[in-house]
Amino acid sequence: MTSHSMYKEHILDLYKNPRNFGELANPTNSHHGNNPLCGDEITIQLIIKDDKIVDVKFKGVGCAISIASASLLTDHIKNMNVETIKNLTKDDILDLMHIPISPIRLKCALLSLETLHKSIEK
């Protein structure tokens, strides 16, 4: 199995069994984002204490790319400083995904990052 197909399998596994999927009891920050072009919807909930992400959950519906991206991103930001999160970019998401994302699917992959950024603005 090539590493490329191994990462594709990993994306499908995260779609079927996403990490950090669910709801937090008392989030300090939350935002609902959607991609009207394909119907993906993600809500990210955070608990921020002392400018750090103490806990994070997401829920939503969407394609394998958007759900896997949210799963990978929420794992990545645990215990991260809010200022560091504000500086996360498209390239950071693409690095987490480990597979090439076509221009058409880029919005799917970036929905969780966009939603995360809006949740910490509040």
Side-chain angles (χ1 to χ4, degrees), residues 28 47-54 79-83:
T28 57
I47 295 178
I48 300 174
K49 280 190 182 151
D50 299 323
D51 225 25
K52 280 197 172 194
I53 305 301
V54 176
N79 299 311
M80 193 177 275
N81 183 289
V82 171
E83 282 305 310

Side-chain angles (χ1 to χ4, degrees), residues 4 8 65 94 97-102:
H4 188 69
K8 278 186 176 179
I65 297 292
L94 296 176
M97 297 293 287
H98 288 291
I99 62 167
I101 304 293
S102 69

Side-chain angles (χ1 to χ4, degrees), residues 7-113:
Y7 284 121
K8 278 186 176 179
E9 289 297 316
H10 183 61
I11 296 298
L12 289 175
D13 183 53
L14 288 172
Y15 173 66
K16 294 175 190 168
N17 306 295
R19 293 190 200 101
N20 309 305
F21 193 85
E23 292 186 59
L24 294 172
N26 296 301
T28 57
N29 298 60
S30 180
H31 189 77
H32 177 80
N34 72 321
N35 179 355
L37 298 176
C38 66
D40 293 346
E41 293 190 31
I42 299 274
T43 299
I44 292 184
Q45 296 178 320
L46 305 167
I47 295 178
I48 300 174
K49 280 190 182 151
D50 299 323
D51 225 25
K52 280 197 172 194
I53 305 301
V54 176
D55 203 359
V56 57
K57 295 277 188 194
F58 81 95
K59 63 181 180 175
V61 294
C63 67
I65 297 292
S66 68
I67 298 299
S69 171
S71 181
L72 290 164
L73 180 62
T74 53
D75 256 1
H76 183 68
I77 65 165
K78 285 182 181 174
N79 299 311
M80 193 177 275
N81 183 289
V82 171
E83 282 305 310
T84 305
I85 291 170
K86 287 179 182 178
N87 294 317
L88 291 175
T89 67
K90 167 183 93 168
D91 291 333
D92 295 309
I93 296 297
L94 296 176
D95 286 347
L96 289 172
M97 297 293 287
H98 288 291
I99 62 167
I101 304 293
S102 69
I104 293 170
R105 303 306 298 271
L106 191 57
K107 193 130 175 81
C108 302
L110 297 178
L111 177 60
S112 59
L113 179 63

